[in-house]
Amino acid sequence: MGGADPRQVVFAPVGNGARVDLVVRRLADAIALELLADGEQLPSEAELAGQLGVSTVTLREALVTLRNNGLVETRRGRGGGSFVRTPHTAVVAVRLEGVALQDLRDFGDHYAAISGAAAKLAAERALEAELAPLRRTIAQMEAAASAAELRRLEGRFHIEVAAASQSARLTREEVMLQADLGLLLWLPHAELDGPAVACPHRQILDAIGSGDAAGARNVAERHILEAVERLVELRLRAT
Amino acid sequence: MLIVERAQALTDEVFAAVAAVREATVRLAGGGPLRSTDLAALRPLLFERLGPLVVGLGFIALPGLLADSHWYLEWWQHDPDGGVPRQFNAELDPARPAFYDYTQWDWFAGPQAGAERSICGPYVDYLCTDEYSLTFSLPVLAGGAFVGVAAADVFVSAFERAVLPALKDLRAPAFIASAAGRVIASTSARWTSGAVYRGAPGHTSHPIGRTGLSLITAG
């Protein structure tokens, strides 16, 4: 920031770099949230660029970044193309080692603030009928067969809570935070079963359902902070 | 009251676009078994009606209706930058994690259960636009049988822009709420869009024609 006129930044043209970042973010979000499945082939560069409304040059740059982050794999020759790679636990664990402890703490604070605020507003605003998707997600958690499914359902639950808060901004923020470090958060409790994962989420839902705004904020914040605490312990053991 | 007329006219305008989609779909369904490719014939009509008010429009098929795709939406979205409309590509393979079961949403389930005109929301449309939205929908019947839903998306911000001048004319805090009590547009700082109105002392509710919406005034 030092000395530069902030207005220059505001009014600077949205350059190619910004568009590349946007495309990287969009695709990384989709992969982290498993909207794009592991092994799924992406459309051709021309087709994908068209869908996203960017030039093929921009798309190609974005794909290079995604490839470097291990989220996309490109194979040449017959049957070649770009394929989605959902990071596996081992890869995520390696990534955790590269994250500073202070950054984990900071992420936890931010994520707890967003999730807590969303749960509080949901308790104030959600109508009974709007809680149906949350109930459904918890029932699916209890019956989930794989860790991957549980991770996806947990992410979905938190997005549904954010949507129930009636705030499009909080919802977008929740999606971005999950895309940022959501996979890491899952790491310490990969061995938990469905009912164990469902439990704290049911507490959040119950508080929202009974209109207990302060309670909903508390349980949602505690849930996130406990997850981050376990992550910090894991990170400490790694070094 | 001008605001009642304005809100009625606005919902009528959106439902007119939805009804046009419904009529065109019924005509297509009259020509024998439908395939997803047949629904492409709706596109000129959809593109014509998309704009700053109706930002999403289309037909959502009852699962099993189409001969070639069990699940299908012919759903197009307005491009605010003036480009060509974009088709919404939902995940419609039930075997995939991100599968989009549209029959569970009120804008589909309501008309399927017999509701004539549904206005769903406001809700955060995190699956499609990421925006705070309203969905207007009508059942589509062919030969007396329910075959799907014609629907339109309207951003709450656009709805608010369209009714706010008339709402301000009341010269006292007032707001429009959905049938479920969710505030859509408001001149009251206490009841902003997204809040739930469950009745409050000193407030009076006036139904807005056949929209299902209400005008709530203080005093």
Side-chain angles (χ1 to χ4, degrees), chain A residues 91-132:
Chain A
V91 179
V92 179
V94 169
R95 194 176 153 209
L96 176 64
E97 289 173 36
V99 181
L101 279 164
Q102 183 272 326
D103 287 339
L104 279 183
R105 195 268 298 154
D106 202 25
F107 169 74
D109 291 347
H110 188 184
Y111 196 16
I114 296 299
S115 295
K120 171 196 172 262
L121 291 172
E124 285 173 359
R125 294 174 177 165
L127 295 161
E128 179 52 34
E130 289 165 346
L131 298 180

Side-chain angles (χ1 to χ4, degrees), chain A residues 20-30 66 175-177 179-180:
Chain A
V20 171
D21 289 347
L22 215 63
V23 172
V24 168
R25 169 116 261 170
R26 184 92 71 82
L27 292 175
D29 282 1
L66 289 165
V175 169
M176 265 166 53
L177 284 163
D180 250 8

Side-chain angles (χ1 to χ4, degrees), chain B residues 77-159:
Chain B
Q77 292 172 298
H78 173 61
D79 176 9
D81 296 331
V84 288
R86 283 176 294 217
Q87 188 166 20
F88 171 53
N89 294 313
E91 175 56 73
L92 296 175
D93 176 356
R96 300 286 298 280
F99 171 59
Y100 178 50
D101 179 358
Y102 48 74
T103 62
Q104 303 203 350
W105 295 89
D106 286 344
W107 51 260
F108 191 96
Q112 186 172 22
E116 177 42 33
R117 285 161 58 121
S118 303
I119 303 179
C120 294
Y123 65 99
V124 179
D125 187 5
Y126 59 91
L127 291 171
C128 184
T129 61
D130 267 1
E131 294 286 343
Y132 204 43
S133 306
L134 294 160
T135 301
F136 294 63
S137 56
L138 295 173
V140 182
L141 304 177
F146 174 83
V147 296
V149 158
D153 272 353
V154 173
F155 290 156
V156 171
S157 54
F159 187 93

